[in-house]
Amino acid sequence: MFNIILFGPPGSGKGTQSQNLITKYGLKHLSTGDLLRNEIAQQTPLGVEAKNFMDKGQLVPDEVVIGMISTALETHPDVEGFLFDGFPRTDAQAEALDKLLHLKKTSIALMLALDVSEDELIKRLLSRGMSSGRSDDINETVIRSRIQEYENKTKPVADYYAKFNKVVHVKGEGDVDEIFSLLSKEIETRKKKGSTTPESSEV
Ligand code: B4P
């Protein structure tokens, strides 16, 4: 298996780039944001709980998202690899993911981190909010809280994977296709190096 984490702040292009990457590399897309929005749309108890956090720009509790990912991994036993989009977002999520993948005798091969300036993030998210009506994209205060959550809780996750030499930063501003080419190049370089062998990121 070849498993990738697409990493970056809210609005950095994770969802956008994921669509092309899963098609090109035959990966199963697991977006915790999409899974949570699906729960909200179906008005499940999990969705009702998650919405309270998401509407304030806060992260949903670890146990909720880890449970969702654990179920999703079990549901897709025979895939060529997973593309994790928006997960892990905390150190606890990263450790849980490593353990879950270890049980499947696989691991994360690569974390691709999209770098985008704060001004650009806010511009993109407000613009998406105008067309999608997504409740967490409409209000600038909520968007700033999401970016703050990213700085405080999510950014350190990259340090965790950097210890295992698995992080590559890619400029996430500019033409969507050009960014996709940069990401593809990094994936192919890593594939050539043969990082598909089982290994753990556990410290
Ligand atoms: P997500 O669904 O992950 O939302 P996101 O980070 O805002 O979006 P993404 O990064 O995918 O959007 P994209 O840049 O593609 O999370 C939403 C919420 O769910 C979180 O705030 C949190 O509350 C909760 N949550 C999710 N996962 C969680 C977890 N693991 N733990 C706890 N809580 C969790 O797109 C943004 C816009 O930019 C789009 O309009 C796009 O068209 C545009 N864009 C993209 N690339 C561009 C480019 N190159 N140039 C110009 N515009 C571009």
Side-chain angles (χ1 to χ4, degrees):
M1 282 174 98
F2 189 82
N3 306 302
I4 300 173
I5 297 170
L6 194 53
F7 189 78
S12 56
K14 303 184 295 288
T16 305
Q17 296 295 338
S18 289
Q19 293 311 319
N20 294 332
L21 291 171
I22 54 167
T23 307
K24 182 164 181 182
Y25 296 103
L27 301 170
K28 175 68 195 164
H29 184 207
L30 287 185
S31 156
T32 38
D34 288 349
L35 291 170
L36 289 166
R37 281 185 289 277
N38 192 33
E39 297 281 342
I40 292 171
Q42 292 181 38
Q43 298 185 333
T44 64
L46 191 157
V48 172
E49 186 193 354
K51 191 172 186 322
N52 279 326
F53 292 94
M54 292 165 77
D55 282 350
K56 291 185 207 132
Q58 295 169 357
L59 292 182
V60 174
D62 284 337
E63 59 273 20
V64 174
V65 280
I66 292 168
M68 270 185 350
I69 285 288
S70 173
T71 306
L73 291 179
E74 290 312 313
T75 316
H76 304 284
D78 298 321
V79 296
E80 287 181 35
F82 291 98
L83 175 68
F84 296 96
D85 162 4
F87 181 89
R89 265 175 150 102
T90 63
D91 284 340
Q93 292 180 19
E95 285 163 24
L97 178 62
D98 266 353
K99 288 193 181 122
L100 289 168
L101 293 178
H102 188 69
L103 289 174
K104 294 174 82 70
K105 300 194 172 16
T106 184
S107 65
I108 293 298
L110 179 63
M111 172 186 266
L112 292 165
L114 291 164
D115 294 333
V116 177
S117 71
E118 187 167 329
D119 284 351
E120 172 73 11
L121 296 175
I122 292 168
K123 200 174 84 188
R124 285 184 191 178
L125 293 174
L126 284 173
S127 149
R128 181 170 66 184
M130 279 195 277
S131 55
S132 72
R134 233 177 88 170
S135 54
D136 56 347
D137 283 345
I138 291 169
N139 181 319
E140 189 168 333
T141 309
V142 172
I143 292 175
R144 287 193 185 275
S145 301
R146 288 160 65 193
I147 295 173
Q148 203 53 53
E149 285 275 85
Y150 170 81
E151 290 293 329
N152 295 341
K153 298 177 185 166
T154 305
K155 220 173 173 183
V157 176
D159 301 334
Y160 173 83
Y161 288 99
K163 279 190 246 160
F164 306 97
N165 211 12
K166 293 184 176 184
V167 183
V168 176
H169 286 264
V170 170
K171 188 168 179 282
E173 287 187 50
D175 184 68
V176 170
D177 291 339
E178 277 170 25
I179 298 165
F180 176 61
S181 296
L182 293 174
L183 294 171
S184 299
K185 206 174 105 202
E186 295 299 341
I187 291 173
E188 272 141 45
T189 305
R190 186 62 56 133
K191 278 192 163 205
K192 271 191 210 128
K193 279 191 198 158
S195 298
T196 51
T197 46
E199 60 185 49
S200 176
S201 307
E202 286 169 52
V203 194

